[in-house]
Amino acid sequence: GVALGSVQTVGRESELQRLEAALGVLGEGSSACVALEGEPGIGKTRLLAELTALATERGHLALTGTAAEFEQDVPFGVWVNTLDSHLAEQDADWDAALLDELGGIFPSLRGREAGDSTVADERYRAHRAVRALLELLAEQTPVVLVLDDLHWSDRASIELLAALMRRAPDAPVLLAFGFRPGQAPERLSAALAAPGVIRIEPGRLSQDEAAEMLTDLDEGALAAIYRHGGGNPFYLEQLARASDAGRLPGALRHANDGADEPAGAVPAAVAAALAEELESLSLSARALLNGAAVAGEPFSPDLAAAVAELPGDEGLAALDDLMDRDLVRATGVPRQFIFRHPLVRRAVYESTRGGWRLAAHARAAEALGARGAGATERAHHIEQSASQGDEAAVALLLEAGEASAARAPGAASRWFAATLRLLPASDRERQSQVRTSLASALRSAGELEACRDTVLEAIELLPADATERRIELIAQCAAVEHWMGRHDEAHARLARAWDGLPSADTPEAAALQIELAVDGLYEMDFEQTLGMGKAALDTAVALGDGPLIASAASALALGEAASGAVPAAREHRETALEQIDRLSDAELAPRLDALYYLGWAENYLELYDDAIARADRGLAIARATGQGRVVVPMMLVKGYPFEMQGRLDDALELCETAVESARLSDNPHYLFWALFELGFAHYHLGNLDKVIAACEESARVGGRMVGGTMPAGGGGPGWVLASALFELGELDRGFAHLPELGGEEFARAIPVERCHNFETLALAELSRGRRDAAEGYVRRAEELAATLDLNLPRGLVHRARAAVLLDAGEAAQAAEQAGLAAERCAAAGARLQAAFATALRGRALAAAGERDQAVPVLREAERELDECRSHRERDLMRRELRKLGARAETRGPATAEDAGMASLTGRELEIAELVTDRKTNKEIAADLFLSEKTVESHLRNVFVKLGVSSRVQVARTVEHDRRERDAG
């Protein structure tokens, strides 16, 4: 017969060199990513097989998987295909939380740990878990993951791959995948823009290379095959098989000589050769092949035989026949087989008759059910085979949708939509319920327009007397419209619903008034917010409805705090707390927004620990009850208090997580918001270039510099961007943003924020040499702060006044004002702001010639700023100290009780021991399953408690302690 040369190497020398180079990176302990892209049959799969062989030869763990055309909505299908059988063999003592997350993806890990608290908006947790898993697997040997045909992969799989490409495993892990660029989903194409991705595009073979690949062919046959195969290795091979079987002339008669074939289409001669090859099969072999095409790839022989209705022995004999003909091939996993090429499977599936396919999918679903397969594994077959009114099918599709919603909302959307097709149109109640579930999945997947339309359909299907449910859905629809920037439509929708209510003294009326109160905060319409909030609270109190009272009082407290009515805000906060503290999580869950409103009110009232506690409880309830829509906003409640308290590492991690979550959900509103909050975190850390990058992206995403969030306040990237520009000395660029931020009066900012803004503008004017202008901003801040019964605004005013006095040469008075600022900020719990004030006081004392007083003050500021991680300001303090001939002292604990090895916590001692063993932070993080940031934080505590300033000193202290213990 016709001999095939080494298909893997003919004409592929440069591609193989690049693959070997990628493997070489693993030897250095680093990760890499390779993308093989090209048309069907060009040789991607064969190159990936060669990569797998090379990796195995080097002793690496090489795992392979393939996405299948007819299972594009099986969540994480290609990852399960690649990793699950290997994980089933592991008996590792992994962290329970890690197993919990991984169990939501990999069937082999389900049931090892109970519980699942993930919602769709937190599916980044699953991505982080897979990253951690790969790092654990790579501890013993480098890992090579080969994922083929990703153009057919489900959305959840692509999201996971994109996450791993954005933030690669910190271990020797190679991700290699093949796909067809013309069929690749947009998310995959976007992910390929990640830096460091090695992209390889195999080209077509020349005629000489084809001759090298296909031996034992006469010159005429080779020329005909090359003319019709076009240099595509699979096409050439298929035509060569036809030639070997004597079917080439028949196949070539189907060729459309002289006419252009559609781009991307399989050449007619190749399709004909494949059809003739299939026609030559025995009845049982063809039946099994048809069954395998329906069963999915990779397929098990018993499932394919069940679909084909073949007895076991006959099915195995047919399998042998198919393998002898190289139509199917074994995989590395026992009892799993694949087709020779996806084009072969497609040809087989499409050649079956429609009626037979319906029955075959039904048999596949039944057989999978008998084997204990989950709803998500059976849903594709049910969707293909069930008829309207099939209650068992409806139940299974709903189960699949609910099971997929947390980690694969795209798949959940498909199963909910399929459920709607099976439900009778007359069943309006369930049609509405399922549409609500579908809308939630669409929102999580970022399809906001479709989400809005689906909610409106759900509203239309409600019975006339379902007032409470209608109000709830109208509120959800308005929220989506706000996220889309369609504030006028949201307001009009809520106002129409209010006008249409038959009574104003019902729970539904109070709930709608709360929504209208919150609606006013998007546009800083405090008259609407306070009026509707008070009316809602009165109604809720009259009804004696605890959760409703909590929600109304919280929304009202937020509106009052944002408008500067501080005493009233405190009063209504107490009203809300009376209810919230006595309500169980289950009772509070339907009014979960109450915790969000109250958390922001407490932020503005300088109750930072309370705001954090409120957000943490809200997040826990959201996870337990599947309310993913509040996750990102609830997380961002904590950003402001973290920054005020100087917990800048926590603020940065929080904001980065919120950005990661928002990117996954494709929610431009959340991403806009999370990015400018990330900008604030970087601003306080002193990373000004990162401030600008985050804020410029935020402005691009949101299409605005300010507004659009709730509470609106100074929401938006404009102010923090201007502040960073001022810090960088780009004063004109910074001032150019003022008009879009509400002018010099900052009309869109709440009072506390305006005091911050006035101080920043005063400093910028001083930098421009305009002391009179700076004085004007300080006076405005003083007038505003006098109306607020709060410490922070007064502290900011003292600090701004100190800066103007220092510029005027009145250094002693400046130092006094800066000291008052530090006291006020500390009283507010704003540690970072107090540190900034102490720094200014130190500079003022130095300017006044009070060196002996200045040095300890500057050292205190330097220490505080270092512990807060505000690097830019800390380094300024170090320069000030050097100017005075002083330096920052080696830091130690405050008291003897806090000192020494005995003072270390268990985790700190563990890290100190690993430092002594000469492990890097990266290695320690891997050993302890921690983030590097967490290791750094613990190590800073170790430095303080041991009174050292370097890792070498830590090691010496630990070694000394070991010697003493050994001697004792």
Side-chain angles (χ1 to χ4, degrees):
V2 177
L4 298 176
S6 178
V7 176
Q8 289 88 345
T9 56
V10 170
R12 299 294 184 236
E13 289 79 9
S14 65
E15 289 89 344
L16 288 170
Q17 288 174 1
R18 297 182 71 188
L19 292 176
E20 289 200 51
L23 284 174
V25 171
L26 302 186
E28 302 167 5
S30 300
S31 61
C33 182
V34 175
L36 281 159
E37 52 193 294
E39 65 183 15
I42 201 64
K44 304 182 295 296
T45 299
R46 284 168 171 148
L47 282 168
L48 290 173
E50 185 72 7
L51 172 65
T52 303
L54 290 170
T56 303
E57 286 175 12
R58 298 184 183 201
H60 300 342
L61 172 62
L63 303 172
T64 65
T66 303
E69 181 176 9
F70 303 115
E71 291 101 37
Q72 295 182 42
D73 285 289
V74 176
F76 299 103
V78 69
W79 292 95
V80 172
N81 184 218
T82 305
L83 281 161
D84 198 55
S85 59
H86 178 76
L87 296 178
E89 300 169 0
Q90 303 299 302
D91 190 25
D93 183 20
W94 290 337
D95 179 81
L98 176 64
L99 283 172
D100 186 32
E101 288 296 339
L102 294 174
I105 299 175
F106 300 107
S108 66
L109 299 181
R110 286 173 196 156
R112 292 197 188 182
E113 292 294 332
D116 182 358
S117 59
T118 298
V119 293
D121 297 74
E122 291 191 300
R123 55 194 187 275
Y124 62 84
R125 293 167 61 187
H127 301 168
R128 291 179 178 182
V130 173
R131 185 183 298 110
L133 168 68
L134 296 178
E135 291 169 352
L136 288 169
L137 292 177
E139 284 183 346
Q140 302 301 320
T141 184
V143 173
V144 178
L145 293 186
V146 175
L147 315 175
D148 203 3
D149 290 330
L150 277 194
H151 49 279
W152 284 326
S153 194
D154 62 284
R155 176 174 175 145
S157 289
I158 297 299
E159 283 184 350
L160 172 53
L161 178 65
L164 293 173
M165 291 167 71
R166 280 195 304 270
R167 185 176 170 188
D170 188 12
V173 176
L174 173 61
L175 294 173
F177 55 90
F179 70 100
R180 302 175 190 172
Q183 297 173 245
E186 185 177 342
R187 279 180 172 267
L188 177 58
S189 301
L192 288 170
V197 178
I198 303 167
R199 300 182 68 166
I200 300 175
E201 299 181 49
R204 293 198 168 205
L205 302 180
S206 68
Q207 188 159 345
D208 287 343
E209 289 168 337
E212 185 180 347
M213 172 183 157
L214 306 175
T215 59
D216 296 346
L217 280 176
D218 62 61
E219 189 173 332
L222 177 63
I225 286 172
Y226 188 78
R227 185 169 71 254
H228 292 286
N232 179 300
F234 173 75
Y235 298 162
L236 295 173
E237 182 185 349
Q238 186 62 46
L239 292 174
R241 289 175 184 277
S243 176
D244 191 33
R247 293 193 293 267
L248 183 60
L252 295 182
R253 280 198 297 272
H254 290 83
N256 193 12
D257 268 330
D260 292 333
E261 290 174 323
V266 177
V270 176
L274 186 54
E276 290 192 19
E277 183 179 6
L278 297 177
E279 286 297 321
S280 68
L281 294 174
S282 67
L283 290 177
S284 59
R286 182 58 192 267
L288 185 69
L289 201 62
N290 290 348
V294 168
E297 204 169 23
F299 65 88
S300 64
D302 51 345
L303 180 59
V307 175
E309 298 181 289
L310 288 175
D313 291 345
E314 189 176 347
L316 292 176
L319 178 65
D320 288 339
D321 188 8
L322 295 173
M323 291 186 70
D324 288 343
R325 294 169 179 264
D326 195 30
L327 278 163
V328 301
R329 296 169 178 171
T331 68
V333 180
R335 300 188 67 79
Q336 287 196 1
F337 298 83
I338 58 172
F339 282 77
R340 182 173 77 220
H341 193 278
L343 290 174
V344 176
R345 184 189 179 201
R346 183 182 184 89
V348 172
Y349 187 84
E350 292 185 346
S351 68
T352 60
R353 298 168 68 91
W356 181 88
R357 278 203 301 267
L358 286 174
H361 279 294
R363 290 192 293 273
E366 183 179 358
L368 285 169
R371 289 163 173 75
T376 55
E377 297 168 80
R378 301 165 60 198
H380 162 71
H381 298 293
I382 291 292
E383 181 193 25
Q384 296 294 323
S385 60
S387 57
Q388 191 177 62
D390 184 336
E391 286 296 328
V394 166
L396 185 135
L397 289 171
L398 283 174
E399 183 184 349
E402 290 159 3
S404 304
R407 292 181 174 86
S413 299
R414 174 166 176 168
W415 305 139
F416 289 136
T419 304
L420 289 173
R421 291 193 294 272
L422 297 184
L423 283 173
S426 59
D427 192 347
R428 294 171 64 88
E429 182 177 355
R430 281 201 295 173
Q431 285 275 352
S432 180
Q433 289 173 350
V434 176
R435 277 178 169 79
T436 302
S437 298
L438 173 58
S440 177
L442 290 168
R443 182 203 61 76
S444 297
E447 298 181 37
L448 296 184
E449 190 75 49
C451 170
R452 173 183 177 272
D453 293 345
T454 304
V455 173
L456 290 175
E457 291 171 4
I459 293 171
E460 288 298 317
L461 289 165
L462 289 172
D465 59 351
T467 308
E468 183 177 2
R469 185 70 181 135
R470 180 172 286 103
I471 296 302
E472 182 182 343
L473 291 178
I474 287 172
Q476 288 183 19
C477 187
V480 174
E481 288 170 333
H482 278 306
W483 298 336
M484 297 168 72
R486 293 155 70 163
H487 305 300
D488 290 343
E489 288 182 45
H491 175 75
R493 185 175 307 285
L494 292 169
R496 282 196 304 273
W498 173 250
D499 291 340
L501 278 181
S503 173
D505 57 0
T506 63
E508 295 79 18
L512 191 53
Q513 285 173 313
I514 293 169
E515 294 300 329
L516 281 162
V518 172
D519 174 72
L521 289 174
Y522 277 96
E523 297 296 333
M524 304 289 281
D525 185 344
F526 293 124
E527 183 179 353
Q528 174 183 320
T529 293
L530 300 184
M532 284 291 179
K534 289 172 183 174
L537 182 57
D538 289 344
T539 302
V541 169
L543 293 168
D545 187 325
L548 203 55
I549 293 171
S551 184
S554 296
L556 183 54
L558 172 56
E560 289 163 338
S563 65
V566 173
R570 288 183 176 135
E571 178 185 342
H572 289 119
R573 171 183 177 265
E574 290 299 326
T575 302
L577 278 178
E578 287 175 14
Q579 302 299 324
I580 286 173
D581 287 346
R582 69 164 64 115
L583 291 170
S584 69
D585 287 355
E587 291 170 322
L588 194 53
R591 301 290 176 193
L592 190 53
D593 284 342
L595 292 174
Y596 173 74
Y597 306 148
L598 190 58
W600 269 112
E602 289 169 332
N603 274 338
Y604 294 147
L605 294 174
E606 301 173 357
L607 300 168
Y608 304 134
D609 286 335
D610 292 328
I612 293 166
R614 222 65 68 209
D616 285 339
R617 185 180 180 192
L619 286 168
I621 297 174
R623 289 166 185 151
T625 57
Q627 299 188 60
R629 65 182 179 84
V630 303
V631 165
V632 169
M634 201 73 80
M635 287 170 59
L636 293 176
V637 170
K638 299 197 290 184
Y640 181 79
F642 281 166
E643 289 161 10
M644 290 299 105
Q645 293 177 330
R647 297 169 58 181
L648 298 186
D649 282 349
D650 289 336
L652 180 63
E653 184 171 0
L654 174 96
C655 293
E656 288 177 338
T657 299
V659 168
E660 190 175 354
S661 177
R663 289 195 196 283
L664 280 175
S665 69
D666 270 348
N667 185 323
H669 172 74
Y670 281 0
L671 184 56
F672 161 75
W673 191 353
L675 281 167
F676 75 69
E677 294 289 1
L678 177 62
F680 273 114
H682 279 304
Y683 177 76
H684 289 110
L685 283 159
N687 306 327
L688 299 184
D689 290 343
K690 292 181 179 179
V691 174
I692 292 172
C695 290
E696 288 182 345
E697 184 182 358
S698 175
R700 286 195 302 273
V701 169
R704 65 174 80 89
M705 279 290 182
V706 70
T709 57
M710 195 294 298
W719 180 247
V720 67
L721 178 59
S723 299
L725 292 171
F726 290 147
E727 291 274 349
L728 289 168
E730 299 187 35
L731 301 173
D732 290 341
R733 282 184 64 195
F735 277 102
H737 286 293
L738 278 187
E740 59 197 344
L741 299 176
E744 294 185 352
E745 295 301 325
F746 298 102
R748 295 192 62 86
I750 69 169
V752 175
E753 291 171 337
R754 290 170 73 196
C755 288
H756 272 286
N757 298 355
F758 287 144
E759 181 195 22
T760 301
L761 286 180
L763 295 175
E765 291 289 12
L766 290 177
S767 297
R768 293 208 290 189
R770 298 175 53 180
R771 193 181 306 137
D772 288 345
E775 174 66 31
Y777 285 122
V778 174
R779 281 199 302 270
R780 290 183 207 178
E782 288 171 337
E783 292 168 4
L784 181 56
T787 68
L788 304 171
D789 182 19
L790 293 169
N791 281 301
L792 183 59
R794 294 177 184 181
L796 298 175
V797 164
H798 284 305
R799 201 168 63 190
R801 174 60 65 194
V804 172
L805 287 168
L806 183 59
D807 185 75
E810 299 178 41
Q813 290 177 272
E816 181 182 355
Q817 286 291 316
L820 292 172
E823 290 174 8
R824 283 288 190 178
C825 292
R831 180 188 185 188
L832 182 62
Q833 299 301 323
F836 291 153
T838 301
L840 180 56
R841 178 170 176 250
R843 288 171 46 219
L845 287 168
E850 302 289 347
R851 181 189 182 280
D852 290 346
Q853 293 183 52
V855 168
V857 172
L858 289 169
R859 280 183 175 148
E860 179 188 352
E862 188 269 346
R863 180 179 61 251
E864 283 287 285
L865 292 164
D866 183 67
E867 290 183 5
C868 292
R869 311 294 289 161
S870 185
H871 306 132
R872 183 179 173 86
E873 290 297 314
R874 176 204 62 194
D875 292 345
L876 287 174
M877 291 305 95
R878 290 177 176 174
R879 287 198 288 273
E880 291 291 333
L881 285 165
R882 284 197 295 271
K883 287 179 188 176
L884 296 175
R887 61 183 178 81
E889 295 176 336
T890 300
R891 299 189 192 92
T895 66
E897 288 77 13
D898 297 327
M901 293 291 295
S903 69
L904 300 182
T905 66
R907 180 66 85 186
E908 289 165 356
L909 179 60
E910 204 171 11
I911 288 172
E913 295 276 4
L914 291 170
V915 166
T916 305
D917 293 339
R918 305 299 188 265
K919 295 219 171 187
T920 65
N921 284 2
K922 183 181 293 186
E923 291 168 335
I924 294 171
D927 284 351
L928 302 181
F929 192 53
L930 300 170
S931 71
E932 282 191 67
K933 289 179 183 175
T934 301
V935 172
E936 290 168 5
S937 179
H938 284 305
L939 196 51
R940 284 198 301 275
N941 293 338
V942 171
F943 280 13
V944 171
K945 290 182 178 182
L946 298 185
V948 302
S949 58
S950 72
R951 300 170 73 90
V952 172
Q953 290 173 317
V954 170
R956 287 174 181 166
T957 303
V958 172
E959 287 167 348
H960 176 73
D961 183 69
R962 286 175 180 171
R963 286 194 298 271
E964 285 194 342
R965 282 187 282 115
D966 290 343

